[in-house]
Amino acid sequence: MELLTDWVEWLPRLLSGLWVSVQVTVLALVIGIPIGFVLAFMSSARNAIVRWLTIIVVEVGRGMPALVMLQMVYFGLPEAGVVLDSFAATVIALGLTTSAYTSEIIRAGLRAVPEGELEAADALGLKRGDIVRFILIPQGFRIALPTLMGFAILILQVSSLAFTLGLPELLSQAYSIGASTFEYLEVLTLAGILYLVITVPGGWLVENFEKRLSKHLA
Amino acid sequence: MTDPQPKAGETILRLNDIRKVYGDHVALGGVSLDVKRGEVVAIIGPSGSGKSTLLRCVNQLEVPDSGTLEVLGSNIDFAGRVSSADLLALRRKVGMVFQSFNLFPHMNVLRNVSFPQERVLGRSREEADKVSRDLLERVGLANKMENFPQKCSGGQQQRVAIARALALEPQIMLFDEPTSALDPELGLEVLAVMRRLADQGMTMVVVTHEIHFAAEVADRLIVMADGAIIEEGVPSELLAAPKTARAKQFLSAITDR
Amino acid sequence: MDHFLAILSAVPVTLLVTFAAFALGAVIALPLAGGRRSRFAVVRLLTKGVIDILRGVPPVVFVFILFFGVGSDLIRWEPLPAAIVGLGLISAGHLAEIYRGGLMAVHQGQFEASAALGLTSTTTFSRVIGPQAFRVAIPGMVTWLISLLKDSSIVSTIGVAEIMFVTSQGARSSGEGLLPFIIAGAVYIALGTPLAALSRWLEKKLSFGRRA
Ligand SMILES: Nc1ncnc2c1ncn2[C@@H]1O[C@H](COP(=O)(O)OP(=O)(O)OP(=O)(O)O)[C@@H](O)[C@H]1O
Ligand SMILES: [Mg+2]
């Protein structure tokens, strides 16, 4: 019973934290996915220099832990004269990470478009640009969608690392409640449950989508 | 389905000494072939003999290493580069149907047929849809227009693919084993559509293992082996009495099953 | 240079956390993957729930629960074991799903053929199904190992003196915000690149073998 009253008391603060987590996640995705899309195309560019530079940028973005990216943007950019608050820094850092990862996801999606469909489009006399716009991109995006959704869930989880920048998201709210009440186990567990409320149904949705898609392509 | 061609008899497709090599494997070793307007040519031959490669060279899905191609009066010499305008012009005149249908899975049946008309012929959506409905009705798919391809049987999908190609009003249709991926019964639906198309005077080049279809519908039968045409003639005669040992062997292999 | 040497000296700790957690996870994942295929619906549901929780809570939150939550209330433990157990359990959740994918890829006929040959279920699993499933699972396992390497950076937040911990310390004491993190990023990439190459190589090799 005491646990319940505690939880009810903490919930508003935790929910406001969750709201911040969701905001930075959505903004990171909104910024990162379009960049990822462009990178996906650049990484298969004809020009070898463009292609290799893109591949290096993407590999660096994917190889670097999100925590390093966050700290680098927040503590490092001021040295270059760009001072950001923790919210903006989080959005930018997660956005960069997103663009690197999603470029690979989208590239894989584009590559998975069956060769035969592209040939059929060729044989119908469709122009290169039309094939890319009406066949390759919609189809590739559809194939990539479940993985992109899975990645969106992952980024929500990663956003918890922004507590190291002092962003008042879910984990930092939970931690500071813990610090003042010493009920670490209870409040952190509740925070964990709040994450689960989003990530678990999200995961089911992704599974469902994947199943439907694999039936679709079969 | 398109109007019967006014002038029968003139040569509208001419392949001259087409060569295609993959690595050190000669897929086509200098093949020449003339097809007249309204003619139905069937091509048979063992796997790997170059049948698909030949068809794909006609509409440039594969670029030959050398040789010339003449389609409805325009010439392409593969010694030089083929401009993309020439390429698109060529493909507008030539329709192609694949073994694996290759419909666009993110478009319903009607869109599959209408979309290329809008982009290739510049038709409006209404115009294109009207043509599509008409064609789909004629191939017996009036009640499938709103379905997505994966909800259709293989035979239905292949008929959509035929309608999609016909909607662009090609003068020549290429078929690459259109029934090989289908159960015999579903294959018959497709063959019936092709038969009607032939009756209406469409010029067709058909790679097929359907000997009956070749015998009854084709004006000319071609046997390929090892990247070359080894024998050709009137289907009934050729099937009854092949002249070369290689053709004899192949025919007995596919009929003795 | 100082930053670089300090960060380099923390590499063994990062590798220890990564590989120990991976090993722990690889073992715990076995019963979890088995539970997902249990005859009993309750067991299936329960293991699915456990796996969903392990994969659904952010790693840093999970490690916090273990270290600050369980740690202060129930047992006292050092950051390092807490980190290894935390990341190990998370790994178990992910690896269980990877194993399951491998098992599902084994053709049903293999079970039937084994049964028809009169093999015991132990033999069937250890000699017939297991090796085939493992083959399919290996690339996914290496991919997980690579993410785990990067995820291990989060245990700096509970005070494990690995790469990220040393990096933040260096940044704070020197007042430099950029260089230490660039070095850290480079070190992580240097550690991960061979693993990524390994994964690509395995994928090619294994998928090729399967086609034959
Ligand atoms: N893209 C390619 N790269 C390398 N070799 C190829 C390629 N396409 C075809 N070939 C080879 O060229 C030869 C002719 O192939 P083609 O597909 O034309 O044969 P086919 O007569 O259509 O056979 P099938 O009846 O099996 O369809 C084959 O030996 C094939 O392996
Ligand atoms: Mg073929």
Side-chain angles (χ1 to χ4, degrees), chain A residues 116-117 119-127 130 133-135 138-139 142 216-217, chain B residues 56 59 61 88 91 94 98 102-107 115-116 119-120 150 164 168:
Chain A
E117 280 165 35
E119 276 198 343
D122 258 334
L124 287 166
L126 288 163
K127 293 189 201 72
D130 281 350
R133 187 166 144 211
F134 295 105
I135 314 292
Q139 269 286 86
R142 245 165 51 118
H216 221 75
L217 294 179
Chain B
R56 295 162 59 84
N59 73 349
L61 287 177
L88 293 179
R91 286 178 178 158
V94 181
F98 300 85
N102 296 340
L103 296 180
F104 304 131
H106 58 303
M107 299 179 188
F115 157 77
R119 305 306 303 183
V120 177
Q150 40 302 333
R164 178 173 72 174
L168 300 178

Side-chain angles (χ1 to χ4, degrees), chain C residues 123-195:
Chain C
T123 315
T124 303
F125 263 93
S126 64
R127 309 301 290 273
V128 182
I129 309 300
Q132 295 184 56
F134 202 57
R135 241 172 120 89
V136 180
I138 282 178
M141 292 172 72
V142 178
T143 306
W144 173 251
L145 183 61
I146 298 170
S147 359
L148 190 59
L149 173 74
K150 289 178 280 177
D151 276 354
S152 73
S153 61
I154 64 149
V155 304
S156 62
T157 58
I158 60 168
V160 178
E162 46 65 79
I163 295 175
M164 200 55 207
F165 185 84
V166 173
T167 306
S168 303
Q169 234 177 15
R172 229 171 294 129
S173 63
S174 69
E176 283 177 278
L178 202 52
L179 186 63
F181 294 110
I182 290 177
I183 295 173
V187 170
Y188 277 108
I189 291 167
L191 293 174
T193 304
L195 289 176

Side-chain angles (χ1 to χ4, degrees), chain B residues 22-23 25-28 45-54 56 62 99 176-177 207 209:
Chain B
Y22 294 110
H25 178 81
V26 181
L28 292 176
S47 181
S49 57
K51 308 181 297 291
S52 296
T53 307
L54 186 68
R56 295 162 59 84
E62 219 66 75
Q99 180 175 348
D176 191 0
E177 302 197 30
V207 172
H209 293 307

Side-chain angles (χ1 to χ4, degrees), chain A:
Chain A
M1 270 300 89
E2 196 203 312
L3 182 71
L4 263 186
T5 52
D6 279 351
W7 279 16
V8 169
E9 193 189 319
W10 300 331
L11 206 54
R13 244 182 103 181
L14 294 181
L15 284 177
S16 81
L18 181 61
W19 175 231
V20 175
S21 304
V22 169
Q23 278 178 309
V24 291
T25 302
V26 169
L27 286 174
L29 292 169
V30 165
I31 293 173
I33 291 177
I35 300 177
F37 208 88
V38 174
L39 290 175
F41 271 93
M42 282 167 64
S43 66
S44 33
R46 287 228 187 93
N47 185 322
I49 297 172
V50 173
R51 192 171 62 236
W52 278 105
L53 278 179
T54 312
I55 289 174
I56 288 171
V57 166
V58 167
E59 286 307 313
V60 167
R62 278 161 27 103
M64 199 180 296
L67 187 56
V68 176
M69 192 75 99
L70 279 162
Q71 309 253 319
M72 198 156 77
V73 169
Y74 188 60
F75 296 113
L77 282 191
E79 251 172 57
V82 186
V83 182
L84 299 165
D85 64 12
S86 59
F87 189 90
T90 304
V91 168
I92 289 176
L94 296 186
L96 290 174
T97 301
T98 298
S99 64
Y101 275 90
T102 55
S103 80
E104 276 297 291
I105 295 170
I106 292 166
R107 194 158 77 114
L110 294 174
R111 262 207 314 256
V113 176
E115 187 66 29
E117 280 165 35
L118 302 177
E119 276 198 343
D122 258 334
L124 287 166
L126 288 163
K127 293 189 201 72
R128 205 62 234 162
D130 281 350
I131 296 176
V132 170
R133 187 166 144 211
F134 295 105
I135 314 292
L136 188 62
I137 290 179
Q139 269 286 86
F141 208 73
R142 245 165 51 118
I143 295 170
L145 197 58
T147 321
L148 283 176
M149 283 166 54
F151 181 79
I153 297 170
L154 192 73
I155 278 288
L156 175 71
Q157 296 193 21
V158 170
S159 74
S160 60
L161 294 173
F163 91 94
T164 58
L165 313 187
L167 182 72
E169 46 67 69
L170 180 50
L171 178 58
S172 41
Q173 296 288 8
Y175 188 77
S176 71
I177 293 173
S180 59
T181 62
F182 293 101
E183 308 270 23
Y184 281 107
L185 184 59
E186 288 82 355
V187 70
L188 286 169
T189 304
L190 181 56
I193 291 172
L194 288 179
Y195 279 110
L196 288 174
V197 164
I198 297 182
T199 57
V200 170
W204 293 338
L205 209 71
V206 172
E207 267 171 45
N208 213 301
F209 234 79
E210 262 165 0
K211 255 182 226 150
R212 282 215 337 239
L213 190 73
S214 66
K215 248 187 244 152
H216 221 75
L217 294 179

